[in-house]
Amino acid sequence: MPLQAVTSRGLVLFERPYREKDRLVKIFTEQAGKRMFLVKNSGQSRLRSALQPLSLADYLCKINPNGLSYLDDYRDLEPLHEVSQDIFKLAHATYAMDLADHAIDDGEEDPALFAFLTQILQLMNQGVDEAVLLLIYETQLLSRFGVSLDFSHCVFCHRSQQRFDFSFKYSGVLCPEHYLEDEKRLHADPNVLYLLAGFQEISLERLQGISLSAETKEKLREFMDAIYDNYVGIHLKSKKFLDGLSDWGEIMR
C-alpha cells in the first residue's frame, strides 16, 4: 500500500534512539491518530527542533498504514517551554500523554482526544494548576478505557445533590439512605464526589480561576488513584515518577 501524504497538527509523545544515527518519534496526530515515525540522521535533520517530547506543530507526514511512517517537514512549532522547564509540570504532562497513548490504539483517529490533551497541556503552560488539570483530564478520560461512572446520582434511588459516598461493589455513589447497602463503602469525603461530578462536565475554558486547597487535591488524588487501580488497571512508569515527586516536592519548590 502506498504511503499517504498527510498534513496534520501533532504532538510529540516521546522519542528514542534507533540504530546508530536514527530516532523513532511517536506523534499523536489530529488526523491520523498515534503514529511511529522514523527520522534518519536525526542529529543533522532539519526536523530536530520539532522532535522533542511536548513539541506541538503542523507536521507534513507520509503515513504508512502498516509500519513506520516518515516526516517531510513541519511548521508553526509551539514548544511548551513553561511545562518542559518545570519538573512538576513536566511530570504531570508526561503522565497525561502516557495515558492518551494507552487509551486508544495506534492509528485510531481521535481528534476530540487530541484537542482535549493539547488544551490541557497548553493550560499547564499558561500556569493553570497542573494537579487540578490532570484530575479533570483523568476523570473525562475514563470513558476511553470503557469506564462509565456516575458521581451525580445514587445507584439505587437516582437522587442527586446528596452527601454521597462511593461503592466499588455497585460502581457508583450511594446517598445516605442507601449507605447500608455496602458495608465496605469507601467513606469518601462528599466534597470529593461533588467535585468529580463537576469535573465530568466542566469546560476547560472555565478553568483560569480555579483554586483548590492542598488537602482537597490530596483527597481527590487518592480517590482518582483508587478508581484507576480498580477500573483501568494500568501501571505506568510516568505515574510512578509523578507519585515520587510528592515525597520531596515541597523542598524543591
Side-chain angles (χ1 to χ4, degrees):
M1 184 176 294
L3 300 180
Q4 179 184 4
V6 173
T7 299
S8 176
R9 199 69 175 161
L11 172 72
V12 176
L13 299 178
F14 65 84
E15 53 87 28
R16 63 171 181 258
Y18 182 72
R19 297 174 180 162
E20 186 176 349
K21 298 180 179 179
D22 306 334
R23 299 195 84 77
L24 293 175
V25 183
K26 192 163 197 181
I27 301 178
F28 187 3
T29 71
E30 185 175 21
Q31 296 185 29
K34 298 183 287 100
R35 301 281 178 169
M36 189 70 79
F37 293 87
L38 173 62
V39 181
K40 296 184 177 181
N41 296 312
S42 58
Q44 285 74 45
S45 172
R46 68 181 186 280
L47 304 172
R48 61 184 180 276
S49 60
L51 301 180
Q52 298 301 311
L54 289 169
S55 295
L56 185 61
D58 292 329
Y59 292 94
L60 284 66
C61 317
K62 283 189 170 66
I63 300 297
N64 182 356
N66 301 311
L68 295 175
S69 298
Y70 302 90
L71 295 173
D72 282 341
D73 208 346
Y74 72 92
R75 57 175 179 256
D76 298 329
L77 176 63
E78 181 186 347
L80 302 173
H81 290 306
E82 295 302 318
V83 174
S84 60
Q85 294 174 6
D86 183 310
I87 190 173
F88 297 96
K89 294 181 185 295
L90 180 58
H92 284 78
T94 301
Y95 176 52
M97 294 191 296
D98 210 357
L99 279 176
D101 195 16
H102 286 77
I104 59 174
D105 293 332
D106 288 354
E108 178 182 346
E109 297 179 22
D110 195 334
L113 177 56
F114 175 84
F116 186 39
L117 174 58
T118 54
Q119 192 174 8
I120 286 285
L121 298 178
Q122 288 165 335
L123 287 170
M124 287 186 189
N125 201 59
Q126 294 166 18
V128 180
D129 191 323
E130 63 270 14
V132 175
L133 285 169
L134 182 60
L135 287 161
I136 293 170
Y137 176 76
E138 289 172 286
T139 303
Q140 296 192 20
L141 198 64
L142 283 169
S143 62
R144 292 300 197 290
F145 292 104
V147 179
S148 178
L149 298 174
D150 183 353
F151 298 117
S152 300
H153 301 89
C154 175
V155 294
F156 286 96
C157 64
H158 308 295
R159 286 192 298 177
S160 60
Q161 298 180 338
Q162 303 290 309
R163 288 183 59 82
F164 291 126
D165 196 3
F166 190 80
S167 167
F168 283 108
K169 179 179 179 180
Y170 295 106
S171 295
V173 295
L174 306 175
C175 72
E177 289 189 9
H178 292 99
Y179 282 170
L180 295 180
E181 297 292 339
D182 184 1
E183 296 179 355
K184 297 181 179 180
R185 62 189 175 90
L186 197 59
H187 297 279
D189 184 338
N191 189 44
V192 165
L193 298 166
Y194 171 79
L195 287 169
L196 289 174
F199 288 174
Q200 288 182 315
E201 305 294 335
I202 195 168
S203 169
L204 294 180
E205 284 76 13
R206 297 170 50 193
L207 289 181
Q208 292 291 344
I210 194 167
S211 178
L212 298 176
S213 70
E215 181 183 6
T216 297
K217 287 189 286 187
E218 183 177 353
K219 290 180 179 179
L220 282 163
R221 170 47 52 206
E222 290 177 356
F223 183 82
M224 187 58 64
D225 287 349
I227 291 295
Y228 268 74
D229 285 344
N230 281 272
Y231 292 105
V232 179
I234 58 174
H235 300 91
L236 305 175
K237 290 181 180 180
S238 57
K239 181 59 167 62
K240 184 176 181 180
F241 179 77
L242 177 60
D243 291 342
L245 287 179
S246 62
D247 296 334
W248 42 276
E250 291 303 318
I251 298 175
M252 288 194 66
R253 284 193 184 279

